[in-house]
Amino acid sequence: VGGTRFETSRATLVSQPDSMLAKMFDPHSQLVPAKAKDGAYFLDRDPETFKVILSFLRSGQISKSCHNISDLLLHEAQFFQLPGLEAKIQEIEAKNVSGQDILNKLSQIVTKIDALEENRVSVIEKISVSGWSTLQDQTY
């Protein structure tokens, strides 16, 4: 795959029956990947994302270390016709968006707290000045 050699079983590659990989490695299919001279199959795809695809086909899960390549991985999941993987990626992206939303809200809260703190200091200064003036007026 893209110059990187992977070893896996045919059962793994055909584990999602409607996928392009299943069709490529179905002995009765006309969609067959190119073979190299040594008998290995060649797929002109990205090896980093293919590693994730193989892991998903084996376990049905996506490793947390793969979350930073979700855009490319989603594209490859669509290319290989893996709707289960697409759903997992979209679930991860939804969680990431939620996390970003939380960070944005926290930032807004901190900004409001800073503004309130500045306002509190200003009020205390005014009270202090006003109180001092009143105290001086009452002193004989």
Side-chain angles (χ1 to χ4, degrees):
V1 178
T4 301
R5 188 178 187 107
F6 291 92
E7 291 186 28
T8 191
S9 68
R10 185 178 161 282
T12 297
L13 294 171
V14 300
S15 65
Q16 302 284 314
D18 294 328
S19 73
M20 183 183 294
L21 286 169
K23 294 171 187 161
M24 287 176 162
F25 292 95
D26 176 353
H28 306 293
S29 173
Q30 293 179 0
L31 183 65
V32 180
K35 266 192 178 179
K37 290 179 183 174
D38 64 358
Y41 291 96
F42 177 77
L43 300 176
D44 190 17
R45 306 306 296 177
D46 179 65
E48 290 300 311
T49 53
F50 194 76
K51 178 170 53 173
V52 178
I53 290 169
L54 276 181
S55 179
F56 174 77
L57 291 174
R58 291 174 179 138
S59 68
Q61 300 297 319
I62 302 175
S63 167
K64 289 183 180 184
S65 65
C66 302
H67 293 187
N68 60 348
I69 61 168
S70 62
D71 288 340
L72 183 55
L73 187 57
L74 180 60
H75 175 75
E76 291 296 285
Q78 291 165 343
F79 175 82
F80 285 114
Q81 302 167 5
L82 296 164
L85 180 56
E86 287 182 57
K88 290 276 186 191
I89 296 165
Q90 290 165 347
E91 179 183 318
I92 289 167
E93 287 177 346
K95 287 179 184 176
N96 287 344
V97 169
S98 298
Q100 188 61 47
D101 288 344
I102 290 169
L103 289 175
N104 290 340
K105 291 289 184 189
L106 285 173
S107 178
Q108 291 171 359
I109 291 169
V110 167
T111 301
K112 287 179 181 179
I113 289 171
D114 287 346
L116 289 171
E117 178 64 20
E118 288 175 20
N119 191 27
R120 184 185 69 81
V121 168
S122 176
V123 168
I124 289 172
E125 288 172 351
K126 286 178 184 175
I127 291 171
S128 296
V129 170
S130 298
W132 179 254
S133 297
T134 304
L135 185 60
Q136 283 181 330
D137 292 343
Q138 295 174 358
T139 306
Y140 301 104

